Every structure is written in structure tokens, then in C-alpha cells.
Amino acid sequence: IKVVSLLFAILLPVSSYLSPPTVRIIHSGHACNVEEERHTERVYTIREGETLELTCLVTGHPRPQIRWTKTAGSVSDRFQDSSVFNETLHIAKIQRTQGGRYYCKAENGLGSPAIKSIRVDVYYLDDPVVTVHQSIGEAKEQFYYERTVFLRCVANSNPPVRYSWHRGREVLTQGSDKGVEIYEPFFTQGETKILKLKNLRPQDYANYSCIASVRNVCGIPDRSVIFRLTNKTASPSIKLLVEDPIVVNPGQTVSLVCITTGGEPPPILTWVSSNDSLPQRSVVKGGTLTLPAITSDEAGVYSCVASNNVGNPAKKSTTIVVRALKKGRFWITPDPYHNDDHIQIGREVKISCQVEATPPEELTFSWLKNGRALRSSERMVITQTDPDISPGTTNLDIIDLKFTDFGTYTCVAALKGGGIPEISIDVNISSTTVPPNLTVPRGKSPLVAREGDTVELECLVSGKPKPIILWSRADKEAPMPDGSMQMESYDGVLRIVNVSREMTGSYRCQTSQYNGFNVKPREAIVELIVQYPPTVEPVFMEMRQGLGRPVVMTCRVLRAHPSRVLRFEWLLSNRLLHAGAFDTQRDETEYTIRSLNRDGWGEYTCNVINEAGAGKCTFQVTGKAYPPEFYYDTYNPLWQNRPRVYGFKLQWTQMNPNAVDRIVAYRLGIRQELTLENTFQTCYIPVDGTINKGELMTHNLTELIKPESYEVRLTPITRFGEGDSAIRIIFCTNNYPWPFSSTFHCSFEEEPICMFTQDKNDDFDWTRHSAATRDTKYTPNTGPSGDHSGSKQGFYMYIETSRPRKEGDQARLISPFFNVAPKNPYGITNPPAYCFGFFYHMYGKHIGTLNAFLKQKGQTASEGLVWSLSGNQGDRWKQAKVSIHPTSSFQVVLQGIRGPGIEGDIAIDDITLEEGECRDPPPSE
């Protein structure tokens, strides 16, 4: 164990070290160029698909929080705001839409926030596209003989693209050929280049190449496209081998056939739909679109589009109509010439029937009386409404109603094409057929309920036939519980599940003309009152205070129904302290501790109670000190003691030092990062006197081993005990990532697993495990019985291959980054060697594969495989060693792949990384 010497703290009685933030942005990743712009902002140029890394470096105390924001980019491009110190914004495979201005904002509550920005310019070049057109007024299928032709070249790019034209191997320039003119239309602003061939000549039939170039910026190569112009070049033409419209029954399979009738080069056929996209189950094969088992939702306009970049695309469309009948309804209209809603002998009565039909022109109606066909006559007049005025409606007018006319009338709706079930609607006309009436049952309004209950609002409807009841809000324009503005009910009951306080108010029940009388609607009002417990604040509050000082806790009522609060009660750890009736003149209740003692620490609860329940305020009264705030702006905090040993000046201030009892000491813990030793070495730093706000404290750490990094934990101590801790990492260098010592060793004995991480893009995770805690239901005949050392208590990592895992699933464990420092200031010329070793256990008849990869930072190529083994290796631990030669900061990746069955657990343990080539390779077995 390496010893770290901890010196006494030095309290500096100087002015406050609190300071507002400053910020600057540094960059890494794959920048093509970084240039100044207006002296305050840099422009960061990067190639599309590369990795963007921007780091916001700040000063200020307390340590400022950092947040990244962005403007001038795609709205859909969002990244999470950061509040991590020196946060690096990392965007892998950056896209053109992610260019724009990135802002780093740092604030610590002192002065104004510090803001810096950098503009990210993403460079790209797409493949060019050549389209061919003829001069206006000369459009024919084959118009290129003795005609003027325009070849237009377009490529999306940033920066602006430069174009050049070739005819075969000949470079075409303005003036090089009298029959050729090259120009850029003014309105395109350089986005396209047009080659004009005037009065086409025989030599103009050739291969034309358009080359798009951004002059190799960011290493982007030129892109080109070739178009062959012949005397047969023609724009596309197509033909649909189907009718328009196509009327089908639901469930039928529809095939739309589109063929090309002309075009050179051969056109490409595509299908589009008026529904934004083709149905999910549709099948496109060549020019044929097949829609299996078509539904009404798939009806619409389908278009075949042919394109070959010559002239304009050809387009032909047809409309698919899917037959449907739905929503059959009726209503009865009494004699309109008499001011009476009732049906009476000797007067006229009209029965109307309506359905929704597709297509409407196929709709037919027939009428029956008591099951027998009814024909139109002088007293029984059957009419069908004009489809343009009221589509899908038929009327039966009974003139001079007689007693013999009483009976059941049936309206039957059908489609001429057949295949769709008919809709029949029965209407009974008798002496008992009377208009509706609505009433609210006694005791059902106002209706009082508690929040979360299920309630039923009820209106009694009388009359024959009973109409549909429509429910809506009567007191305001607001949606109903299902989100609609109106809800239907066939029995007059509106059922609301999990009623909320927002649903309090007046509800209107109203008769509909459908399935009833076509008379003035009847309506009634039902009042709903929803009671809920008091809403209070604060829901939770931590109150830090020193002994002997007063503590005042206030619980405030924001809203409640009923607003008449009955009582309150204050408790400490479920022990009643005080209770009483709530003062209705005030909206709060207080509890005061005149002088806090040790028995007064704990959790206080205030319950404010009404008929619907209780609202609870919680106060955690504690003497715990606030955390210290590390000072990151120390000038030159590092010094050299002797070779491979360094010292570090640790400085901090105390947050709110006077909020609690005087801090009497600090507990300082330190441990080395990336080593097997994960326990903190601790010492106590005594504090004499009172610490002032902003007062800077210093503690010198010595005997730190280069180039190791250390985790430091600092905890204030008062009479209460330990307060909140603060943690920071100290480095012997400012270079990122983690510095690499001569030896790295990890045996997975601690939960942080030596800063290894699980890959988020794999199928499942590695599991940290010990034989002593193994589940009794574990899979036999696979996996180790202990760690590499043979200990039952020792831990190792393994992949669990039981269900739901399937063959081929992979788990990836990724090491932290290790830094490779160059031996000279001009970079790495001879890559250093490292020996990567580990123990593995691969026992079971279904063992899959264990792979090891080397992953280097800044390289876009895939990871390099350095070691691999498959199949059953027996019930014992074996060692693997392999030499690796990274040229930049690197990680190692261990990948376990599941075999064909459950007896395939793979385990690893005791991972090592040492400088130099592997000298003693493991014995071959």
C-alpha cells in the first residue's frame, strides 16, 4: 500500500475568495480548421460523420455550474443540458443539421453568468444529380435531334460546390465549343451548373460527366455522375392498367399495375399515396402495387410516378374506394304545421333514416311495414334526400295518420355493389310513441364525491322511443373526461372513473334528435362537487440549525375542498407534539422550537386534515454541516518532491459555515484511482476558531505517486457529527483522459469494478458475482465455483446465459481510457507496447466465444480484435496474455457471446495492464 502524507490544514485569515465565473471553450475531436471570427468567437469546422468534442473550462468560486445550449440548428437535434464541471460536449457522427452556434453558460450565483460561444460549421458533399430538359415549346417524346438541350447538375454541399463538365475525356469550358454554353442561373446562387447544348449535333451524343468539388476541404473527395445522351433519350411516359376509380369491398386484395410506355434511360417506377405513406402491409414489385385485405382506412388516391431525370417525372393516379355502411340513425318529426310535439291521428308524421355510405351513389333504401315491403303512395310518400344537401337520408311521410298506420316501420340501407351487410333500422309508431322528457333523480344533484372515486351522473329519460343522451360541460367550454367536447349515453348515465378536482362543475344532459323525436332538445343540469385533501407546502424541507437556536416551521395551505379545514397536528417521529383546530382566518400553521437540543433533531410532520383526507408537510431538522466547496483556481497547485513523487495544494471554502454549530474538524479521505486498493486512507484536520464565509483553507498532500490520480473526500464535523461530503479528483497532469501508471490491476472486489462500464449498445450486461452468494437455482455444469484465487468470497465478472438470452447475444465490458504519453514533444513515432492479461473460465457444453478488442480514441475505424477463444475449455481458470501497441489513448473491450444453450457461462477475473511486451506467455494447454 502506497502511503500518502497528510499535513495539517492552514487557515488563511484573508478576504473572501468567492468570485464570479469566467469561461472559455476548448476543442478536441476531428476539427478541420478553427479560425477567429470578430475576435470573440471561433468557427469550428468539421466533416460530417466525424466526432465533435467541445469542452467548457471555467474559473470561479463556488465552482460554477455549466450548461450547454444551441441555436440555429434543427429543432429535433437536442442534447441534455449539463451541470458537470469542465463538461465536454460529445457528438459522435455529427450530421449537417447539428451545425450552428453552441453556447457554454457558467454560473455560480455571483455576478452575471459567463457565456462563450463557438460556431460549428459542418462540411459535406452529396453525390451530384444530373437532370435533362429541352427548351420550352419543343416538348415531344424524342426531341433531342436538332433541338436545344439543357443538362443541369445539382449537389448539396457545404461549403459551396464548384462544378466542371466533361464530354467523354474532353473538358468543357465556356467558349471551348461554339455549340456549348455553360452558365449558372442567377436565382440559384451557385447551387447548380447548367450545360446548354444548342441545336444538338451528332458529336453531342456522348457521355457527359458532372464533377462536384469542394476543393478537398476537410479531406472531402470530389464526387461525379455520368449521363449518357443519345438520340433515343426521352422523358418517361407510363400507363395504368386499372380503372379510375376502383370500387372494392373490404377484405379484397387490390393490385394496381403500372407500366412504362416510353423513356430513355429506363424510368424508375415508384408508388405514393395520398395518406402520406403506403399501407404497412402493401407489397411493391416492379410497377405492381398489391394491397392485401384492404380496409377503409387504406382508401384514397394512389399514384404511380416514373422518373429518369429527363424532363419532368410522369405521374398517373387512381382512386381506391372501399365500400362501407355505418352509423345508422333515425328520427321522428311530428306535423310541422301544428305547434305540438306529439303524434296525433289525422295529422302528418315523418320518419327519417340516415346512414353513412361509401360510395354514396351506390346507396339504396327500401321500407318495410311490419316486415312487409312498403311502396310509395299518396298517403305513404317515400323520398330520398338530395345527396349534396343531406347525404344518405331517406324519408317516409305518412299523410293523415290513421289507427291502422300504427306498427313497426323498417328502413333498410344497402349498396348496389353488394358484399356489405345491410343496415336495418326499426321505428315503432303507436299510441305510446311520445316525445322525450328529462329529469334528474332526487338526491343526484349536487353530487358530492372524493377525488379518485368513480361517479355516475344520471338523467332519467322518458318517452318512446328513448333518444341518445348527449353530455357536455354547462359551465365552461371544456372537454369531457374522454377528451371530446360531447359524450353519448344510451341509458342517460355518465360514468367518470378516477374523478379529479378539475372535473368539478355543471354538466348538461340533452336529448339528441337521433333515435328519437326531431323536436326542440330537452335538457337538465347536474352539479358535480369533487372534494380533495388540502394541498400544502412545503412538501419537504431540510432545516439545518445549531444547538440552542430557535427553529420555526410553517406549513401553508394552498387549496382544499371543502375549504373549511377541520384540524391540524404536529408530530416528531410519529409522537404527537401539538394539535388543534385550524384558524380559518389564516392559511398556515406554525410550530416553534425555542431552543434546539439534541432531542429536537429528527423528522417533523404537519398533517392538515379536512373531510377528504390530509395534506402533509415534512421538515427534516438537522445539525448537519453543509459540504465544503473545493477551490479549483489555485495557482500552480502541483509541485515535484522527487522523481515519481508529487505534492498537491488542496484548497476549499465552507458553504454556509454559520448555519449550524461551529465546525471543529474535517475528515479527509484519499485513495488512489484505477488500482485494486479502494479503501480511503483518512486523517482528521482540526479547526481552531470560527470559519468565516468565503474563508480559504489549505491542506498540502504529499507523497503522491506519479502519474497516478487520486480521489479526495472532505467531510466537515460539528457537535452533531459528520456533515455533507465533497469529492474531487486530483491529477498530476492536466492532460486527459486518465493518466496511466506502469501497472493496472483489477480483480472486481469492489462495486465500482475499477471504472469498467457496461456497453449501452449490447444485448445484455456482464454480472459481478461471488460463489458465496450464488443463487441455489444456478445452472449446473457451467461457470466457476470460485474466483481465480479459489476463494468462495472473491468476486469475478461473468455472463449469465440462461433465458431470456438467445444464441448470438453479446455482452461488452469496456475499460476506462488509458493515456499514452509521447516520449518526445513531436508525438509518438514508435508506438509503446503494453501487456494486456486476464484470467478466463469457459466451462460448459454450450460455451460461445470470448473476444478482446483494442479501441483507440480518435480513430474512426472499427475496434481491433487482439484475442479470441471459443468452445469448452474445461472446469478451470486459465490465463491469457497479449501484447498491444496503441498509438493514442485507448480502452480494452471484453466481449462475451452466448452459445447455443444455457450451459455456456463465461467468467473473467484479475485483469492486468503492464508497460512493455508480454514476457511470459501463459503455457499452451
Side-chain angles (χ1 to χ4, degrees):
I1 300 176
K2 298 183 175 96
V3 178
V4 178
S5 175
L6 306 175
L7 303 183
F8 286 110
I10 304 172
L11 301 187
L12 302 181
V14 294
S15 58
S16 173
Y17 273 78
L18 303 179
S19 59
T22 65
V23 64
R24 65 189 180 97
I25 296 175
I26 65 171
H27 61 85
S28 55
H30 303 129
C32 303
N33 185 39
V34 178
E35 61 184 30
E36 297 294 332
E37 182 184 89
R38 294 190 300 276
H39 308 290
T40 59
E41 181 182 50
R42 287 167 295 176
V43 179
Y44 182 104
T45 305
I46 187 170
R47 180 174 173 174
E48 187 174 50
E50 298 289 0
T51 297
L52 171 71
E53 285 189 0
L54 299 176
T55 300
C56 197
L57 297 183
V58 299
T59 64
H61 189 73
R63 186 68 166 167
Q65 286 195 337
I66 301 170
R67 189 173 75 163
W68 283 98
T69 57
K70 176 178 178 285
T71 60
S74 169
V75 179
S76 62
D77 167 40
R78 305 194 178 183
F79 53 87
Q80 291 185 344
D81 287 344
S82 165
S83 57
V84 181
F85 300 154
N86 291 347
E87 171 68 12
T88 297
L89 172 64
H90 181 97
I91 302 178
K93 297 182 180 179
I94 192 168
Q95 301 300 306
R96 62 195 65 178
T97 56
Q98 294 173 304
R101 202 174 304 274
Y102 287 81
Y103 291 87
C104 172
K105 179 180 180 181
E107 53 187 335
N108 65 355
L110 300 176
S112 300
I115 301 175
K116 289 289 184 182
S117 65
I118 187 169
R119 184 160 62 85
V120 175
D121 205 359
V122 181
Y123 279 5
Y124 58 91
L125 174 61
D126 292 342
D127 289 327
V129 176
V130 170
T131 56
V132 184
H133 299 271
Q134 69 169 9
S135 56
I136 298 175
E138 300 176 352
K140 295 180 181 178
E141 287 192 0
Q142 295 181 357
F143 50 75
Y144 293 101
Y145 186 74
E146 294 185 354
R147 293 291 185 268
T148 298
V149 174
F150 300 88
L151 279 71
R152 179 180 178 183
C153 185
V154 178
N156 296 319
S157 74
N158 182 36
V161 69
R162 289 183 181 176
Y163 299 94
S164 59
W165 283 98
H166 292 229
R167 180 167 53 200
R169 298 183 178 180
E170 175 191 4
V171 178
L172 297 177
T173 58
Q174 184 65 29
S176 64
D177 185 330
K178 291 184 179 181
V180 175
E181 183 179 340
I182 301 175
Y183 64 95
E184 295 178 354
F186 175 76
F187 61 86
T188 64
Q189 298 180 352
E191 295 175 1
T192 183
K193 197 82 165 182
I194 291 182
L195 178 67
K196 180 179 180 182
L197 306 176
K198 299 177 289 187
N199 294 323
L200 214 62
R201 304 161 298 178
Q203 64 264 35
D204 292 330
Y205 296 121
N207 289 335
Y208 289 85
S209 301
C210 172
I211 301 175
S213 174
V214 290
R215 301 162 296 286
N216 204 38
V217 297
C218 284
I220 299 176
D222 296 348
R223 297 180 180 270
S224 63
V225 64
I226 297 177
F227 185 87
R228 180 173 179 81
L229 182 66
T230 71
N231 59 358
K232 295 183 179 180
T233 300
S235 57
S237 59
I238 56 175
K239 182 178 181 181
L240 280 183
L241 304 182
V242 293
E243 299 177 353
D244 184 30
I246 303 173
V247 182
V248 297
N249 292 328
Q252 282 186 232
T253 295
V254 181
S255 292
L256 307 181
V257 181
C258 177
I259 61 172
T260 58
T261 57
E264 179 64 35
I268 297 174
L269 298 179
T270 57
W271 281 93
V272 295
S273 167
S274 59
N275 298 326
D276 296 330
S277 60
L278 294 176
Q280 191 173 3
R281 296 178 294 110
S282 63
V283 178
V284 178
K285 187 175 182 180
T288 302
L289 170 65
T290 302
L291 305 174
I294 196 167
T295 65
S296 296
D297 295 336
E298 295 169 347
V301 178
Y302 289 80
S303 303
C304 175
V305 181
S307 176
N308 65 352
N309 290 343
V310 179
N312 295 319
K315 182 177 181 180
K316 296 284 186 180
S317 303
T318 186
T319 302
I320 297 179
V321 178
V322 180
R323 291 188 178 92
L325 279 176
K326 54 185 178 180
K327 287 192 176 179
R329 289 177 167 174
F330 74 90
W331 59 93
I332 302 170
T333 307
D335 191 342
Y337 302 105
H338 296 81
N339 188 19
D340 192 346
D341 292 342
H342 290 75
I343 295 175
Q344 296 188 23
I345 298 295
R347 292 185 181 176
E348 178 182 342
V349 63
K350 179 194 290 185
I351 306 173
S352 299
C353 173
Q354 184 183 64
V355 295
E356 292 183 9
T358 305
E361 60 270 15
E362 288 191 3
L363 177 63
T364 62
F365 286 107
S366 59
W367 285 89
L368 307 175
K369 178 185 178 184
N370 296 330
R372 301 180 64 180
L374 189 64
R375 298 182 180 275
S376 184
S377 63
E378 291 185 359
R379 271 198 340 103
M380 298 283 186
V381 181
I382 299 174
T383 58
Q384 190 160 334
T385 307
D386 187 341
D388 295 332
I389 299 175
S390 180
T393 305
T394 182
N395 301 310
L396 172 62
D397 279 288
I398 304 176
I399 311 299
D400 187 18
L401 182 68
K402 300 181 181 301
F403 181 79
T404 56
D405 293 329
F406 289 163
T408 299
Y409 292 83
T410 304
C411 161
V412 181
L415 293 178
K416 295 177 183 177
I420 301 297
E422 299 176 339
I423 292 181
S424 297
I425 304 170
D426 292 334
V427 184
N428 186 264
I429 301 296
S430 68
S431 57
T432 60
T433 303
V434 293
N437 188 38
L438 274 182
T439 58
V440 178
R442 180 176 299 178
K444 291 291 186 177
S445 181
L447 186 63
V448 179
R450 292 191 177 183
E451 196 168 38
D453 288 351
T454 296
V455 298
E456 291 186 347
L457 308 187
E458 186 177 354
C459 280
L460 293 178
V461 56
S462 61
K464 186 178 180 181
K466 288 186 178 181
I468 297 172
I469 302 300
L470 304 177
W471 285 92
S472 61
R473 292 295 293 261
D475 52 347
K476 56 184 176 181
E477 283 288 328
M480 295 293 286
D482 67 347
S484 65
M485 297 304 294
Q486 200 173 60
M487 293 176 65
E488 291 185 353
S489 169
Y490 288 85
D491 59 0
V493 175
L494 173 64
R495 182 181 177 86
I496 304 176
V497 179
N498 194 19
V499 68
S500 65
R501 63 192 67 180
E502 293 79 11
M503 297 176 186
T504 294
S506 302
Y507 290 79
R508 176 187 296 110
C509 61
Q510 178 178 300
T511 59
S512 163
Q513 70 169 11
Y514 300 117
N515 299 3
F517 273 71
N518 183 22
V519 295
K520 182 179 179 180
R522 275 58 167 168
E523 66 178 47
I525 301 296
V526 178
E527 295 287 341
L528 174 62
I529 300 173
V530 180
Q531 296 182 343
Y532 52 89
T535 302
V536 296
E537 68 173 10
V539 175
F540 177 84
M541 176 183 287
E542 185 182 55
M543 305 187 73
R544 304 193 186 207
Q545 188 60 278
L547 295 173
R549 302 180 192 176
V551 178
V552 179
M553 292 165 278
T554 303
C555 185
R556 182 174 297 106
V557 177
L558 301 179
R559 51 192 171 273
H561 193 88
S563 58
R564 179 174 56 86
V565 177
L566 298 181
R567 67 183 193 277
F568 66 85
E569 56 184 22
W570 285 91
L571 302 98
L572 172 58
S573 301
N574 296 322
R575 178 169 59 88
L576 184 63
L577 301 174
H578 180 50
F582 200 86
D583 186 354
T584 56
Q585 302 301 315
R586 303 175 60 195
D587 60 357
E588 61 187 32
T589 176
E590 287 185 354
Y591 185 78
T592 301
I593 304 172
R594 299 180 187 274
S595 179
L596 183 64
N597 57 33
R598 293 180 180 275
D599 294 334
W601 287 325
E603 184 177 275
Y604 291 77
T605 301
C606 175
N607 293 321
V608 183
I609 306 161
N610 70 355
E611 296 175 13
K616 183 168 73 171
C617 295
T618 300
F619 302 87
Q620 186 70 41
V621 178
T622 176
K624 181 187 293 187
Y626 287 96
E629 296 175 308
F630 286 112
Y631 189 67
Y632 286 80
D633 301 334
T634 304
Y635 177 73
N636 196 17
L638 296 167
W639 72 87
Q640 183 83 27
N641 281 344
R642 54 187 183 275
R644 294 187 59 79
V645 176
Y646 70 99
F648 187 88
K649 182 188 291 185
L650 186 69
Q651 294 186 303
W652 71 92
T653 62
Q654 176 61 42
M655 180 191 294
N656 300 330
N658 300 319
V660 295
D661 292 318
R662 184 179 72 83
I663 294 172
V664 297
Y666 285 94
R667 183 167 65 85
L668 177 65
I670 185 169
R671 64 181 176 185
Q672 193 178 110
E673 287 287 309
L674 303 181
T675 64
L676 175 62
E677 181 59 54
N678 277 302
T679 58
F680 280 97
Q681 300 178 53
T682 60
C683 76
Y684 289 88
I685 306 171
V687 177
D688 296 327
T690 301
I691 301 175
N692 296 319
K693 184 175 179 63
E695 186 174 352
L696 191 65
M697 285 161 279
T698 299
H699 185 85
N700 290 328
L701 303 174
T702 61
E703 300 300 320
L704 305 177
I705 307 301
K706 293 181 63 177
E708 302 296 339
S709 56
Y710 291 84
E711 180 181 351
V712 176
R713 176 182 293 169
L714 192 61
T715 308
I717 300 173
T718 64
R719 287 191 291 174
F720 173 84
E722 292 191 354
D724 291 336
S725 299
I727 296 177
R728 70 165 294 183
I729 307 297
I730 58 174
F731 305 93
C732 71
T733 173
N734 290 326
N735 294 332
Y736 288 86
W738 297 91
F740 175 64
S741 64
S742 60
T743 302
F744 170 80
H745 178 214
C746 180
S747 60
F748 306 113
E749 295 305 316
E750 298 291 336
E751 185 58 42
I753 60 174
C754 312
M755 297 191 67
F756 275 80
T757 56
Q758 308 276 3
D759 192 335
K760 296 180 180 178
N761 297 317
D762 58 7
D763 301 308
F764 66 111
D765 287 344
W766 287 82
T767 302
R768 178 174 172 268
H769 197 60
S770 166
T773 60
R774 183 162 57 181
D775 193 333
T776 56
K777 298 179 181 179
Y778 76 96
T779 306
N781 303 319
T782 188
S785 57
D787 72 355
H788 159 243
S789 67
S791 169
K792 297 286 187 182
Q793 284 72 34
F795 284 85
Y796 54 87
M797 301 294 289
Y798 86 108
I799 61 169
E800 172 58 68
T801 57
S802 301
R803 294 183 180 85
R805 302 275 65 84
K806 58 183 182 295
E807 185 173 5
D809 281 1
Q810 56 175 283
R812 288 164 51 88
L813 192 66
I814 305 176
S815 77
F817 268 109
F818 296 104
N819 198 35
V820 176
K823 302 296 184 182
N824 61 73
Y826 302 103
I828 298 174
T829 55
N830 296 315
Y834 296 93
C835 182
F836 171 54
F838 59 93
F839 284 85
Y840 61 89
H841 189 283
M842 301 173 66
Y843 169 56
K845 64 181 180 181
H846 299 137
I847 291 291
T849 301
L850 178 62
N851 294 322
F853 297 93
L854 175 64
K855 181 179 181 181
Q856 301 192 63
K857 187 174 183 181
Q859 298 189 9
T860 57
S862 60
E863 303 162 352
L865 180 67
V866 296
W867 186 92
S868 181
L869 189 63
S870 300
N872 186 359
Q873 305 299 316
D875 188 9
R876 60 187 178 277
W877 286 95
K878 296 183 179 182
Q879 188 180 21
K881 281 188 177 182
V882 61
S883 295
I884 58 176
H885 303 86
T887 58
S888 63
S889 300
F890 67 94
Q891 295 168 287
V892 289
V893 181
L894 287 162
Q895 178 192 55
I897 302 177
R898 199 252 198 194
I902 63 173
E903 295 181 20
D905 294 354
I906 298 175
I908 56 174
D909 199 6
D910 287 326
I911 295 176
T912 58
L913 191 64
E914 300 175 342
E915 290 181 356
E917 299 279 352
C918 295
R919 297 178 182 177
D920 300 314
S924 59
E925 298 180 88

